[in-house]
Amino acid sequence: MEHPVHPFTELFEQLGLPADEASIRAFIERHSPLPPTLALHEAPFWNQAQAAFLHAALEEDADWAEVVDHLDASLRKT
């Protein structure tokens, strides 16, 4: 079974964040870089629901996992 592909903007919508290109870029710039030892879902800027969603997406290898990995990588760039 193929997993649906979620665009980056849809992940931001799912997290309840502004999803336009400028807002996404500003979010990443504001919160980067994450320390290498900090799991994405443990970052202090997530609320409890956002953190739970991100953690579950990766733990369950859900259809969101690929785009969550993309967010993780984007937040680790310096």
Side-chain angles (χ1 to χ4, degrees):
M1 179 174 145
E2 261 187 64
H3 293 295
V5 176
H6 296 284
F8 211 40
T9 55
E10 196 173 305
L11 174 60
F12 276 74
E13 290 170 357
Q14 182 70 21
L15 293 168
L17 299 170
D20 60 277
E21 187 177 325
S23 296
I24 291 171
R25 190 178 14 246
F27 179 89
I28 291 169
E29 287 175 10
R30 185 170 53 253
H31 297 295
S32 292
L34 284 182
T37 58
L38 183 68
L40 176 64
H41 71 278
E42 294 174 342
F45 47 83
W46 303 122
N47 67 34
Q48 189 174 20
Q50 291 167 329
F53 172 79
L54 294 167
H55 183 69
L58 294 175
E59 283 294 307
E60 299 167 9
D61 197 25
D63 59 337
W64 289 98
E66 186 174 330
V67 73
V68 170
D69 281 337
H70 179 82
L71 174 60
D72 188 24
S74 296
L75 287 167
R76 294 189 191 279
K77 291 180 182 175
T78 55

